[in-house]
Amino acid sequence: MTHADPPAHVALDFNRRSADEMRRRAREHYEDVARRRSVRHFSDEAVPLEVIEDCIRSAGTAPSGAHRQPWTFALITDPLMKRRIREAAEAEERENYSRRMNAEWIRALGPFGTNAEKPFLEAAPVLIVVLRHAWDEDEGARVQNYYTQESVGIASGFLLAALHHAGLATLTHTPSPMGFLSEVLRRPAYEKPFLLIPVGYPVQGCEVPNLERKRLDEILVRY
Ligand code: IYR
């Protein structure tokens, strides 16, 4: 018996919904994601890791250039590794806040009360580092990837939405530059740190900046 190759195309699994159902689902989704806020004050309470794993599965369903899936998600719970990441991130951020960011940038961050101290990198029970495969390697040979920024950006959005939907708080943290993460996590040169996401529960009484979002008419142009 010969072994058949899998078919190149299969039937699409698509849910055709009524207009009413679509209206309800779109509104529900909007109302849910509108409640997501970046959290900078995490409790140290542990989170169920199987929830995080399913959220990373969701991230891995994102579309990507030529379906290269150019991402790795590093899941960090080890307190010593979190401490090393915090120390290295704070060292970079001290440079940023004291020298590298200009006055306009510092002013723009005023409402958020951020500074070079990053206690959430140790307090949050989980850190996820999203890594972007600038290229891949196949037995040492370089394999080109496509639209990796777009692909990994979309996957990160899927991840944040999944974590929020599951009931977890997140922060999108971009210590800069992020080269120290490659060293701490011992990742290969083709994996570039893209985003550092602390995940957990907010501390009791957690406050967030009182922000407004742009209205639909400010973000939508119709043709
Ligand atoms: N990376 C720095 C500074 C910072 C920059 C922006 I733009 C933000 O929206 C928030 C912070 C930090 O993490 O403090």
Side-chain angles (χ1 to χ4, degrees):
M1 209 173 80
T2 57
H3 181 82
D5 282 335
H9 291 88
V10 293
L12 171 67
D13 177 16
F14 183 85
N15 250 341
R16 174 72 205 237
R17 303 179 194 279
S18 70
D20 270 351
E21 194 183 359
M22 289 195 289
R23 280 182 201 104
R24 182 181 58 73
R25 289 173 62 94
R27 177 52 54 156
E28 263 177 27
H29 184 71
Y30 161 62
E31 286 174 353
D32 181 45
V33 294
R35 283 195 296 272
R36 184 195 167 274
R37 293 299 309 268
S38 289
V39 163
R40 290 191 164 79
H41 309 286
F42 287 89
S43 119
D44 60 7
E45 190 183 340
V47 299
L49 290 182
E50 65 276 20
V51 170
I52 308 279
E53 288 168 9
D54 259 348
C55 293
I56 292 173
R57 280 192 178 92
S58 289
T61 69
S64 62
H67 192 50
R68 285 296 161 79
Q69 307 173 82
W71 42 62
T72 297
F73 302 89
L75 170 53
I76 300 134
T77 54
D78 175 41
L80 273 177
M81 194 167 267
K82 288 196 289 176
R83 174 169 304 171
R84 287 181 65 198
I85 290 172
R86 175 184 178 177
E87 284 170 359
E90 287 181 338
E92 292 293 1
E93 292 302 326
R94 278 193 286 274
E95 280 297 304
N96 288 334
Y97 280 87
S98 63
R99 271 182 275 279
R100 297 197 281 234
M101 286 150 60
N102 64 18
E104 184 180 343
W105 194 346
I106 297 282
R107 230 184 355 265
L109 292 179
F112 308 98
T114 60
N115 56 39
E117 301 299 309
K118 304 298 174 193
F120 51 75
L121 292 176
E122 274 190 274
V126 166
L127 304 178
I128 300 174
V129 176
V130 182
L131 296 137
R132 175 182 66 89
H133 294 211
W135 68 93
D136 272 300
E137 285 180 10
D138 183 17
E139 294 177 1
R142 217 173 155 119
V143 179
Q144 156 165 225
N145 283 333
Y146 310 94
Y147 298 103
T148 60
Q149 300 278 0
E150 292 83 349
S151 304
V152 178
I154 295 167
S156 298
F158 275 34
L159 178 59
L160 292 169
L163 290 164
H164 172 71
H165 184 71
L168 290 165
T170 52
L171 173 67
T172 48
H173 182 42
T174 51
S176 162
M178 286 198 275
F180 69 88
L181 288 170
S182 302
E183 286 168 36
V184 174
L185 303 172
R186 283 185 252 101
R187 302 312 304 169
Y190 57 83
E191 291 184 16
K192 311 292 183 189
F194 183 77
L195 200 54
L196 172 50
I197 309 178
V199 185
Y201 303 106
V203 281
Q204 284 286 332
C206 181
E207 294 194 346
V208 292
N210 185 17
L211 305 180
E212 284 192 5
R213 294 193 166 110
K214 290 181 179 176
R215 297 181 314 269
L216 183 65
D217 64 286
E218 296 174 289
I219 62 173
L220 169 67
V221 279
R222 300 176 193 263
Y223 297 91

